[in-house]
Amino acid sequence: IFVFVSVNQILLLLLVLTVCAILYNKVHQVPSALKNETVDLESPEEMEEEIPVVICAAAGRMGAAIAAINSIYSNTEANVLFYIVGLKTTIPHIRKWIENSKLKEIKFKVVEFNPMVLKGKIRQDASRPELLQPLNFVRFYLPLLVQKHEKVIYLDDDIIVQGDIQELFDTKLAPGHAAAFSDDCDLPSTHEMVRSVGMQNTYMGFLDYRKQAIRDLGISPSTCSFNPGVIVANMTEWKHQRITKQLEKWMQRNVEENLYSSTLGGGVATSPMLIVFHGKYSTINPMWHIRHLGWSPDTRYSEHFLQEAKLLHWNGRYKPWDYPSVHTDLWENWFIPDPSGKFKLTRPDS
Protein backbone atom coordinates (compact mmCIF):
# COMPACT_ATOMS: atom_id res chain seq x y z
CA ILE A 1 0.00 0.00 0.00
CA PHE A 2 2.77 2.37 0.96
CA VAL A 3 4.50 1.80 -2.38
CA PHE A 4 1.21 2.29 -4.28
CA VAL A 5 0.55 5.60 -2.53
CA SER A 6 4.06 6.77 -3.14
CA VAL A 7 3.78 5.99 -6.88
CA ASN A 8 0.43 7.81 -7.04
CA GLN A 9 1.90 10.79 -5.25
CA ILE A 10 4.83 10.85 -7.65
CA LEU A 11 2.49 10.64 -10.67
CA LEU A 12 0.30 13.40 -9.21
CA LEU A 13 3.35 15.53 -8.57
CA LEU A 14 4.54 14.99 -12.15
CA LEU A 15 1.09 15.93 -13.45
CA VAL A 16 1.04 19.08 -11.35
CA LEU A 17 4.55 19.99 -12.53
CA THR A 18 3.52 19.40 -16.17
CA VAL A 19 0.47 21.63 -15.80
CA CYS A 20 2.59 24.28 -14.09
CA ALA A 21 5.15 24.09 -16.89
CA ILE A 22 2.42 24.55 -19.54
CA LEU A 23 0.90 27.46 -17.65
CA TYR A 24 4.34 28.99 -17.10
CA ASN A 25 5.09 28.85 -20.83
CA LYS A 26 1.73 30.35 -21.74
CA VAL A 27 2.11 33.19 -19.26
CA HIS A 28 5.62 33.97 -20.44
CA GLN A 29 4.67 33.77 -24.10
CA VAL A 30 2.01 36.47 -23.72
CA PRO A 31 4.41 39.36 -23.09
CA SER A 32 6.42 38.18 -26.09
CA ALA A 33 3.34 38.25 -28.31
CA LEU A 34 2.27 41.60 -26.89
CA LYS A 35 5.74 42.94 -27.43
CA ASN A 36 5.61 41.97 -31.09
CA GLU A 37 2.19 43.56 -31.48
CA THR A 38 3.42 46.69 -29.74
CA VAL A 39 6.34 46.95 -32.12
CA ASP A 40 3.96 46.58 -35.06
CA LEU A 41 1.66 49.21 -33.63
CA GLU A 42 4.48 51.62 -32.86
CA SER A 43 6.44 51.19 -36.07
CA PRO A 44 4.34 53.66 -38.12
CA GLU A 45 4.93 56.24 -35.40
CA GLU A 46 8.63 55.43 -35.22
CA MET A 47 8.78 55.69 -39.01
CA GLU A 48 6.59 58.79 -39.14
CA GLU A 49 7.16 60.42 -42.48
CA GLU A 50 9.64 63.25 -42.30
CA ILE A 51 8.83 66.26 -44.48
CA PRO A 52 12.08 67.86 -45.67
CA VAL A 53 11.68 71.57 -46.46
CA VAL A 54 14.60 73.38 -48.12
CA ILE A 55 14.76 77.15 -47.62
CA CYS A 56 17.60 79.62 -48.09
CA ALA A 57 18.87 82.15 -45.57
CA ALA A 58 20.53 84.92 -47.57
CA ALA A 59 22.42 87.88 -46.16
CA GLY A 60 20.16 90.91 -45.87
CA ARG A 61 16.96 88.89 -45.96
CA MET A 62 17.29 86.35 -43.16
CA GLY A 63 14.13 87.71 -41.57
CA ALA A 64 12.30 86.32 -44.60
CA ALA A 65 13.54 82.79 -43.94
CA ILE A 66 12.65 83.12 -40.25
CA ALA A 67 9.07 84.25 -41.00
CA ALA A 68 8.62 81.48 -43.58
CA ILE A 69 9.88 78.79 -41.19
CA ASN A 70 7.72 80.11 -38.35
CA SER A 71 4.59 80.07 -40.53
CA ILE A 72 5.23 76.47 -41.61
CA TYR A 73 6.05 75.23 -38.10
CA SER A 74 3.06 77.00 -36.52
CA ASN A 75 0.48 75.60 -38.94
CA THR A 76 1.25 71.88 -38.95
CA GLU A 77 1.51 68.85 -36.68
CA ALA A 78 3.66 67.09 -39.28
CA ASN A 79 7.23 65.96 -38.68
CA VAL A 80 9.04 68.74 -40.59
CA LEU A 81 12.81 68.80 -41.00
CA PHE A 82 14.09 72.17 -42.23
CA TYR A 83 17.19 72.27 -44.41
CA ILE A 84 18.35 75.87 -44.03
CA VAL A 85 20.86 76.68 -46.75
CA GLY A 86 23.29 79.56 -46.42
CA LEU A 87 26.73 80.79 -47.34
CA LYS A 88 29.61 80.30 -44.92
CA THR A 89 29.45 83.93 -43.74
CA THR A 90 25.72 83.88 -42.94
CA ILE A 91 25.30 80.51 -41.23
CA PRO A 92 26.30 81.60 -37.67
CA HIS A 93 23.72 84.43 -37.77
CA ILE A 94 20.74 82.26 -38.79
CA ARG A 95 21.69 79.52 -36.32
CA LYS A 96 21.87 82.02 -33.44
CA TRP A 97 18.53 83.57 -34.47
CA ILE A 98 16.80 80.18 -34.38
CA GLU A 99 18.39 79.00 -31.15
CA ASN A 100 17.48 82.24 -29.34
CA SER A 101 13.82 82.36 -30.34
CA LYS A 102 10.73 80.15 -30.10
CA LEU A 103 12.04 78.35 -33.22
CA LYS A 104 14.56 76.54 -31.03
CA GLU A 105 11.99 73.71 -30.94
CA ILE A 106 12.16 73.03 -34.69
CA LYS A 107 14.12 70.18 -36.29
CA PHE A 108 16.66 71.71 -38.63
CA LYS A 109 19.97 71.21 -40.38
CA VAL A 110 22.10 74.12 -41.56
CA VAL A 111 23.71 73.38 -44.91
CA GLU A 112 26.53 75.44 -46.41
CA PHE A 113 26.20 76.16 -50.13
CA ASN A 114 29.50 76.53 -51.97
CA PRO A 115 29.09 79.19 -54.69
CA MET A 116 32.11 77.77 -56.54
CA VAL A 117 29.76 75.25 -58.18
CA LEU A 118 28.38 78.20 -60.17
CA LYS A 119 31.74 79.34 -61.53
CA GLY A 120 31.45 80.02 -65.25
CA LYS A 121 27.71 79.32 -65.27
CA ILE A 122 26.22 82.76 -64.52
CA ARG A 123 26.24 85.58 -67.03
CA GLN A 124 26.86 88.86 -65.23
CA ASP A 125 23.98 91.28 -65.66
CA ALA A 126 23.93 94.64 -63.92
CA SER A 127 20.23 95.40 -64.41
CA ARG A 128 19.03 93.15 -61.53
CA PRO A 129 22.10 91.97 -59.60
CA GLU A 130 19.95 90.55 -56.79
CA LEU A 131 18.83 87.79 -59.18
CA LEU A 132 22.44 86.64 -59.56
CA GLN A 133 22.94 85.85 -55.87
CA PRO A 134 24.31 82.28 -55.47
CA LEU A 135 21.46 81.10 -53.24
CA ASN A 136 18.98 81.72 -56.10
CA PHE A 137 20.43 78.57 -57.66
CA VAL A 138 20.16 76.28 -54.63
CA ARG A 139 17.03 74.71 -56.16
CA PHE A 140 19.18 73.38 -59.04
CA TYR A 141 21.24 71.29 -56.61
CA LEU A 142 18.63 69.67 -54.36
CA PRO A 143 20.04 66.10 -54.51
CA LEU A 144 23.45 67.35 -53.41
CA LEU A 145 21.99 69.14 -50.39
CA VAL A 146 19.31 66.65 -49.32
CA GLN A 147 20.50 63.09 -49.73
CA LYS A 148 18.34 60.74 -47.68
CA HIS A 149 14.85 61.76 -48.80
CA GLU A 150 12.77 60.56 -51.72
CA LYS A 151 10.49 63.61 -51.80
CA VAL A 152 11.48 67.19 -50.97
CA ILE A 153 9.78 70.59 -50.78
CA TYR A 154 11.75 73.65 -51.88
CA LEU A 155 10.44 77.11 -50.95
CA ASP A 156 11.66 80.62 -51.75
CA ASP A 157 12.26 82.71 -48.63
CA ASP A 158 9.67 85.40 -49.52
CA ILE A 159 6.70 83.14 -48.78
CA ILE A 160 4.28 82.61 -45.92
CA VAL A 161 2.49 79.28 -45.42
CA GLN A 162 -1.05 79.56 -44.05
CA GLY A 163 -2.05 75.92 -44.60
CA ASP A 164 -0.74 72.58 -43.34
CA ILE A 165 2.52 71.79 -45.18
CA GLN A 166 1.49 68.11 -45.14
CA GLU A 167 -1.07 68.95 -47.87
CA LEU A 168 1.63 70.36 -50.12
CA PHE A 169 3.89 67.38 -49.42
CA ASP A 170 1.06 65.04 -50.44
CA THR A 171 1.02 66.56 -53.96
CA LYS A 172 0.94 63.65 -56.41
CA LEU A 173 3.70 63.57 -59.02
CA ALA A 174 2.93 61.69 -62.22
CA PRO A 175 5.22 58.77 -63.12
CA GLY A 176 8.38 60.07 -64.76
CA HIS A 177 8.00 63.59 -63.35
CA ALA A 178 10.88 64.92 -61.24
CA ALA A 179 8.97 67.98 -59.95
CA ALA A 180 5.64 69.74 -59.49
CA PHE A 181 5.17 73.51 -59.95
CA SER A 182 2.34 76.05 -60.15
CA ASP A 183 1.31 77.11 -63.64
CA ASP A 184 1.30 80.87 -64.13
CA CYS A 185 -2.08 80.63 -65.90
CA ASP A 186 -3.85 78.55 -63.28
CA LEU A 187 -5.93 80.98 -61.19
CA PRO A 188 -8.49 83.32 -62.80
CA SER A 189 -8.20 85.56 -59.73
CA THR A 190 -4.55 86.25 -60.58
CA HIS A 191 -5.16 87.11 -64.22
CA GLU A 192 -6.25 90.67 -63.47
CA MET A 193 -3.22 91.13 -61.23
CA VAL A 194 -0.92 89.89 -64.00
CA ARG A 195 -2.51 92.21 -66.56
CA SER A 196 -2.50 95.23 -64.28
CA VAL A 197 1.23 95.07 -63.49
CA GLY A 198 2.33 93.97 -66.96
CA MET A 199 3.72 90.62 -65.78
CA GLN A 200 4.65 87.98 -68.27
CA ASN A 201 3.15 84.54 -67.73
CA THR A 202 4.36 82.86 -70.91
CA TYR A 203 7.72 81.61 -72.19
CA MET A 204 8.03 84.80 -74.25
CA GLY A 205 8.67 86.68 -71.01
CA PHE A 206 11.66 84.51 -70.09
CA LEU A 207 13.45 83.34 -73.24
CA ASP A 208 14.91 85.33 -76.13
CA TYR A 209 13.10 83.97 -79.18
CA ARG A 210 15.42 85.92 -81.48
CA LYS A 211 18.07 83.30 -80.68
CA GLN A 212 18.20 80.19 -82.86
CA ALA A 213 18.92 77.89 -79.88
CA ILE A 214 15.61 78.96 -78.30
CA ARG A 215 13.62 78.60 -81.53
CA ASP A 216 15.14 75.14 -82.01
CA LEU A 217 13.48 74.00 -78.76
CA GLY A 218 10.16 74.03 -80.58
CA ILE A 219 8.35 75.58 -77.61
CA SER A 220 5.61 78.05 -78.53
CA PRO A 221 6.33 81.51 -77.04
CA SER A 222 2.70 81.62 -75.84
CA THR A 223 3.17 78.50 -73.68
CA CYS A 224 2.20 79.15 -70.07
CA SER A 225 5.21 79.48 -67.78
CA PHE A 226 5.47 78.11 -64.25
CA ASN A 227 6.96 79.54 -61.06
CA PRO A 228 9.82 77.56 -59.40
CA GLY A 229 9.54 79.41 -56.09
CA VAL A 230 7.56 76.45 -54.72
CA ILE A 231 8.68 72.99 -55.80
CA VAL A 232 7.67 69.48 -54.76
CA ALA A 233 10.48 67.28 -56.10
CA ASN A 234 11.09 63.56 -56.54
CA MET A 235 14.79 63.03 -55.87
CA THR A 236 14.95 59.60 -57.54
CA GLU A 237 13.60 60.97 -60.83
CA TRP A 238 15.71 64.12 -60.51
CA LYS A 239 18.89 62.06 -60.28
CA HIS A 240 17.78 59.53 -62.89
CA GLN A 241 17.06 62.28 -65.43
CA ARG A 242 20.25 64.17 -64.47
CA ILE A 243 18.20 67.35 -64.01
CA THR A 244 21.07 69.25 -62.37
CA LYS A 245 23.38 68.50 -65.31
CA GLN A 246 20.70 69.63 -67.77
CA LEU A 247 20.19 72.89 -65.89
CA GLU A 248 23.93 73.53 -65.79
CA LYS A 249 24.16 72.92 -69.55
CA TRP A 250 21.62 75.68 -70.22
CA MET A 251 23.33 78.01 -67.76
CA GLN A 252 26.60 77.56 -69.63
CA ARG A 253 24.91 78.07 -73.00
CA ASN A 254 23.40 81.30 -71.70
CA VAL A 255 26.86 82.54 -70.68
CA GLU A 256 28.02 81.90 -74.25
CA GLU A 257 24.92 82.92 -76.24
CA ASN A 258 22.82 85.19 -73.95
CA LEU A 259 19.64 83.15 -74.40
CA TYR A 260 17.84 84.78 -71.50
CA SER A 261 18.70 87.61 -69.14
CA SER A 262 17.48 89.31 -66.00
CA THR A 263 16.06 92.13 -68.12
CA LEU A 264 13.35 89.66 -69.11
CA GLY A 265 10.53 88.85 -66.70
CA GLY A 266 11.95 86.02 -64.69
CA GLY A 267 15.65 86.51 -64.53
CA VAL A 268 18.27 83.81 -64.70
CA ALA A 269 17.09 81.08 -62.31
CA THR A 270 13.62 80.47 -63.80
CA SER A 271 14.55 80.29 -67.48
CA PRO A 272 16.69 77.11 -67.46
CA MET A 273 14.01 75.37 -65.43
CA LEU A 274 11.36 76.35 -67.98
CA ILE A 275 13.49 74.72 -70.69
CA VAL A 276 14.44 71.54 -68.81
CA PHE A 277 10.99 70.85 -67.34
CA HIS A 278 8.91 71.84 -70.37
CA GLY A 279 6.03 69.35 -70.67
CA LYS A 280 7.52 67.16 -67.93
CA TYR A 281 6.13 68.38 -64.62
CA SER A 282 3.10 67.86 -62.40
CA THR A 283 1.02 70.72 -61.04
CA ILE A 284 0.53 72.05 -57.53
CA ASN A 285 -2.90 73.05 -56.26
CA PRO A 286 -3.21 76.75 -57.25
CA MET A 287 -4.17 77.79 -53.70
CA TRP A 288 -0.79 76.48 -52.58
CA HIS A 289 1.03 79.20 -54.50
CA ILE A 290 -0.60 82.64 -54.65
CA ARG A 291 1.99 84.77 -56.39
CA HIS A 292 2.88 88.29 -57.51
CA LEU A 293 2.36 89.95 -54.10
CA GLY A 294 5.71 91.68 -54.55
CA TRP A 295 5.21 92.78 -58.12
CA SER A 296 3.66 96.18 -57.42
CA PRO A 297 3.51 98.44 -54.35
CA ASP A 298 -0.06 99.43 -55.26
CA THR A 299 -1.94 96.43 -56.67
CA ARG A 300 -3.64 94.31 -54.02
CA TYR A 301 -5.62 91.08 -53.87
CA SER A 302 -8.89 90.95 -51.94
CA GLU A 303 -8.42 90.17 -48.25
CA HIS A 304 -10.98 87.34 -48.45
CA PHE A 305 -9.05 85.67 -51.28
CA LEU A 306 -5.77 85.88 -49.36
CA GLN A 307 -7.33 84.44 -46.21
CA GLU A 308 -8.38 81.37 -48.24
CA ALA A 309 -4.89 80.95 -49.71
CA LYS A 310 -2.60 78.22 -48.37
CA LEU A 311 0.68 79.88 -49.41
CA LEU A 312 1.51 83.51 -50.25
CA HIS A 313 4.52 84.52 -52.35
CA TRP A 314 5.90 88.06 -52.57
CA ASN A 315 7.82 87.41 -55.80
CA GLY A 316 8.90 90.66 -57.41
CA ARG A 317 10.87 93.71 -56.23
CA TYR A 318 8.57 94.84 -53.39
CA LYS A 319 9.25 92.61 -50.39
CA PRO A 320 7.13 92.63 -47.21
CA TRP A 321 10.10 93.40 -44.95
CA ASP A 322 10.87 96.49 -47.04
CA TYR A 323 8.90 99.60 -47.96
CA PRO A 324 6.82 100.09 -50.05
CA SER A 325 5.05 96.74 -50.24
CA VAL A 326 1.53 95.31 -49.95
CA HIS A 327 -0.18 92.92 -47.53
CA THR A 328 2.68 93.35 -45.06
CA ASP A 329 0.40 92.54 -42.11
CA LEU A 330 -0.02 88.96 -43.35
CA TRP A 331 3.74 88.56 -43.47
CA GLU A 332 4.53 90.39 -40.24
CA ASN A 333 2.25 88.04 -38.27
CA TRP A 334 4.99 85.41 -38.59
CA PHE A 335 8.11 87.53 -38.32
CA ILE A 336 10.29 87.02 -35.24
CA PRO A 337 12.61 89.97 -34.41
CA ASP A 338 16.33 89.34 -34.71
CA PRO A 339 17.80 88.84 -31.19
CA SER A 340 21.08 90.34 -32.43
CA GLY A 341 19.30 93.42 -33.81
CA LYS A 342 21.11 93.18 -37.17
CA PHE A 343 18.00 92.59 -39.27
CA LYS A 344 15.40 95.36 -39.07
CA LEU A 345 12.12 95.89 -40.88
CA THR A 346 11.93 98.92 -43.16
CA ARG A 347 8.72 100.81 -42.40
CA PRO A 348 7.53 104.34 -43.32
CA ASP A 349 7.86 105.49 -39.70
CA SER A 350 11.22 103.79 -39.06
Side-chain angles (χ1 to χ4, degrees):
I1 293 168
F2 177 77
V3 172
F4 179 74
V5 169
S6 297
V7 169
N8 278 346
Q9 285 176 335
I10 290 167
L11 288 173
L12 183 61
L13 181 63
L14 287 173
L15 181 63
V16 169
L17 288 172
T18 302
V19 171
C20 287
I22 292 168
L23 288 173
Y24 178 88
N25 284 336
K26 282 188 176 294
V27 167
H28 283 268
Q29 280 172 1
V30 171
S32 174
L34 280 178
K35 187 178 179 184
N36 288 337
E37 285 177 18
T38 305
V39 168
D40 289 340
L41 288 170
E42 284 182 356
S43 58
E45 189 175 329
E46 285 175 7
M47 299 174 66
E48 184 188 359
E49 197 168 29
E50 217 169 39
I51 299 180
V53 175
V54 177
I55 196 158
C56 295
R61 45 194 291 163
M62 282 192 201
I66 290 291
I69 291 167
N70 187 29
S71 70
I72 296 163
Y73 176 66
S74 300
N75 286 308
T76 189
E77 295 294 322
N79 181 20
V80 180
L81 173 59
F82 293 97
Y83 284 82
I84 302 167
V85 187
L87 301 181
K88 190 173 186 177
T89 53
T90 61
I91 283 174
H93 186 187
I94 194 74
R95 186 185 291 280
K96 188 175 179 183
W97 198 332
I98 289 169
E99 291 173 350
N100 288 280
S101 72
K102 73 173 192 174
L103 293 181
K104 62 180 178 287
E105 303 296 330
I106 70 170
K107 287 171 60 180
F108 73 102
K109 292 182 179 179
V110 175
V111 182
E112 181 184 340
F113 183 70
N114 185 353
M116 289 305 293
V117 300
L118 302 171
K119 190 174 181 181
K121 301 184 184 79
I122 301 176
R123 186 184 184 87
Q124 293 307 310
D125 193 322
S127 59
R128 289 196 67 188
E130 75 275 13
L131 296 176
L132 303 177
Q133 294 302 317
L135 295 181
N136 281 346
F137 301 92
V138 160
R139 69 198 94 188
F140 289 16
Y141 297 94
L142 292 176
L144 301 179
L145 300 165
V146 181
Q147 295 174 351
K148 68 170 187 169
H149 301 279
E150 167 76 8
K151 198 175 187 182
V152 173
I153 294 173
Y154 166 86
L155 299 174
D156 276 353
D157 61 359
D158 52 355
I159 63 100
I160 288 295
V161 171
Q162 300 185 136
D164 185 342
I165 199 74
Q166 181 76 53
E167 287 180 35
L168 181 61
F169 189 72
D170 290 342
T171 298
K172 295 284 188 290
L173 272 68
H177 285 178
F181 307 98
S182 291
D183 276 326
D184 282 333
C185 309
D186 56 9
L187 269 182
S189 50
T190 66
H191 293 173
E192 184 57 41
M193 169 77 83
V194 168
R195 280 195 296 271
S196 67
V197 299
M199 251 203 82
Q200 292 287 345
N201 61 354
T202 65
Y203 273 57
M204 177 66 88
F206 296 86
L207 307 178
D208 188 348
Y209 276 84
R210 295 170 299 180
K211 302 294 169 65
Q212 189 60 45
I214 296 300
R215 293 201 299 273
D216 287 347
L217 290 169
I219 301 172
S220 166
S222 62
T223 301
C224 183
S225 54
F226 58 80
N227 186 300
V230 176
I231 308 172
V232 181
N234 179 313
M235 292 294 92
T236 302
E237 280 296 336
W238 193 292
K239 288 182 275 195
H240 175 68
Q241 296 178 33
R242 296 168 65 84
I243 296 293
T244 298
K245 288 292 181 192
Q246 291 188 59
L247 292 166
E248 288 185 325
K249 181 192 85 171
W250 283 102
M251 291 169 78
Q252 284 164 333
R253 287 197 69 175
N254 183 57
V255 170
E256 295 158 10
E257 304 172 50
N258 197 19
L259 304 175
Y260 50 85
S261 75
S262 57
T263 54
L264 293 166
V268 292
T270 298
S271 301
M273 297 197 88
L274 290 177
I275 295 171
V276 170
F277 284 101
H278 174 252
K280 294 187 293 186
Y281 66 91
S282 300
T283 54
I284 289 170
N285 178 335
M287 295 307 286
W288 267 100
H289 196 176
I290 302 303
R291 310 182 278 298
H292 320 315
L293 276 75
W295 205 260
S296 163
D298 306 309
T299 310
R300 301 173 66 91
Y301 285 110
S302 79
E303 292 300 326
H304 175 72
F305 174 67
L306 293 184
Q307 283 166 10
E308 296 294 312
K310 306 285 191 176
L311 182 148
L312 306 176
H313 188 185
W314 278 263
N315 58 312
R317 294 174 186 258
Y318 302 98
K319 303 302 185 187
W321 55 91
D322 278 337
Y323 180 84
S325 56
V326 295
H327 303 296
T328 52
D329 54 323
L330 294 173
W331 182 87
E332 215 168 316
N333 282 340
W334 304 105
F335 174 68
I336 299 171
D338 182 0
S340 74
K342 293 176 188 171
F343 182 94
K344 293 184 173 65
L345 302 182
T346 305
R347 293 294 180 253
D349 53 353
S350 62

